[in-house]
Amino acid sequence: LAKDPDCVDALVVMAEIEANSPRQMIEMMQKAVAAGERSLGARFIQENKGHFWGLMETRPYMRAVAQLADLLRGVGMNLDAISHYEKMLALNPNDNQGVRDPLLGLCLATGNLEGAQKLLKDYEEDSSANFAWARVLERFLTGDRVGAGVELKAARKANRFVELYLSGQKEIPKVRPEMCSPESDDEAVLVLDNLSLAWAENKEAAFWLIDQLMAGGTLKAVPARARKRVQ
């Protein structure tokens, strides 16, 4: 920092060392992001918009923005988090950092159905469990119950563990896995990290899902933790 006051990686490390609260961490990360924007320059950012991650010098900045967005999401500042995630996708549509997953959940949680639908269209080839379970909720929120039922079948094939957490049959672990494999329990935990708020904010959809699981014989009764999750 003595040699380069706008060194983003150094500012991030200092934030991790010195911050004593989520609020202070956010403030320090905001300074790191601002430093990255100064260092890269407005002209560079505009000229390289669309393939940002392919340039090594952009990566400290992009990592800092992602970390800031995650922090904002963690404290419930969802609209601010959405703004940062959307900025990252505009700079790098290839989404090497996977920010479309939490962004999709936040759009559905905040009632931004148009934003969710844009993501589903822009990344329509995404066959992940996160997108599969998000499609179920998106169809329900548009009033397409038949379509939601079709998407539910596909989502259950994509990851059968997600419904166990959504319906309260399994307790969501407190520790978030860092890595996962497709169709695994760990993947389901990551899906819930991105989508649980969206399902909880749309109680009618959550109860519809439970009804579907009960009708299909997957669920015999509604666990207490499931009722609490959607209240």
Side-chain angles (χ1 to χ4, degrees):
L1 287 172
K3 293 182 178 180
D4 179 10
D6 284 341
C7 179
V8 177
D9 282 336
L11 289 168
V12 170
V13 171
M14 292 303 294
E16 293 171 345
I17 292 173
E18 295 183 348
N20 295 317
S21 66
R23 180 176 179 178
Q24 187 179 12
M25 183 69 178
I26 288 171
E27 290 175 351
M28 295 184 75
M29 288 302 301
Q30 287 172 331
K31 292 179 180 179
V33 168
E37 292 174 348
R38 285 194 303 271
S39 181
L40 293 171
R43 181 175 178 179
F44 175 92
I45 293 173
Q46 184 59 36
E47 288 179 348
N48 294 286
K49 185 177 181 179
H51 55 273
F52 226 57
W53 188 256
L55 304 170
M56 293 295 291
E57 60 266 40
T58 70
R59 296 190 180 184
Y61 168 71
M62 292 293 278
R63 288 193 296 265
V65 178
Q67 191 169 346
L68 174 58
D70 290 343
L71 288 166
L72 292 167
R73 181 169 72 102
V75 298
M77 298 177 67
N78 296 327
L79 296 181
D80 290 327
I82 286 174
S83 177
H84 286 294
Y85 286 135
E86 289 180 337
K87 176 172 63 178
M88 292 179 69
L89 289 183
L91 292 172
N92 181 48
N94 286 335
D95 190 25
N96 301 77
Q97 295 168 277
V99 301
R100 63 181 179 266
D101 289 338
L103 175 57
L104 182 55
L106 287 181
C107 286
L108 292 169
T110 58
N112 183 5
L113 193 56
E114 182 178 342
Q117 290 169 339
K118 183 178 186 302
L119 281 172
L120 292 171
K121 181 179 180 180
D122 289 347
Y123 300 96
E124 59 185 354
E125 295 183 0
D126 190 322
S127 59
S128 68
N130 192 85
F131 265 57
W133 280 94
R135 289 187 187 100
V136 179
L137 183 54
E138 182 273 331
R139 284 292 84 202
F140 184 91
L141 294 178
T142 61
D144 182 7
R145 299 291 181 93
V146 174
V150 172
E151 295 295 350
L152 177 59
K153 292 180 180 179
R156 297 178 76 183
K157 290 181 180 179
N159 191 302
R160 63 188 178 87
F161 296 103
V162 174
E163 65 188 60
L164 301 180
Y165 289 110
L166 284 176
S167 62
Q169 296 177 75
K170 292 190 70 174
E171 189 71 42
I172 300 175
K174 295 182 179 179
V175 180
R176 183 180 186 272
E178 295 184 2
M179 300 179 64
C180 70
S181 57
E183 302 181 29
S184 67
D185 190 280
D186 282 345
E187 181 191 40
V189 174
L190 294 178
V191 171
L192 266 291
D193 183 61
N194 293 322
L195 299 181
S196 60
L197 177 62
W199 282 93
E201 289 293 326
N202 294 283
K203 296 179 176 58
E204 186 179 356
F207 286 123
W208 169 86
L209 174 63
I210 291 173
D211 287 342
Q212 297 301 304
L213 297 178
M214 292 184 71
T218 302
L219 188 63
K220 301 302 181 183
V222 183
R225 67 168 67 101
R227 291 195 298 269
K228 184 181 297 184
R229 191 166 295 156
V230 297
Q231 285 176 350

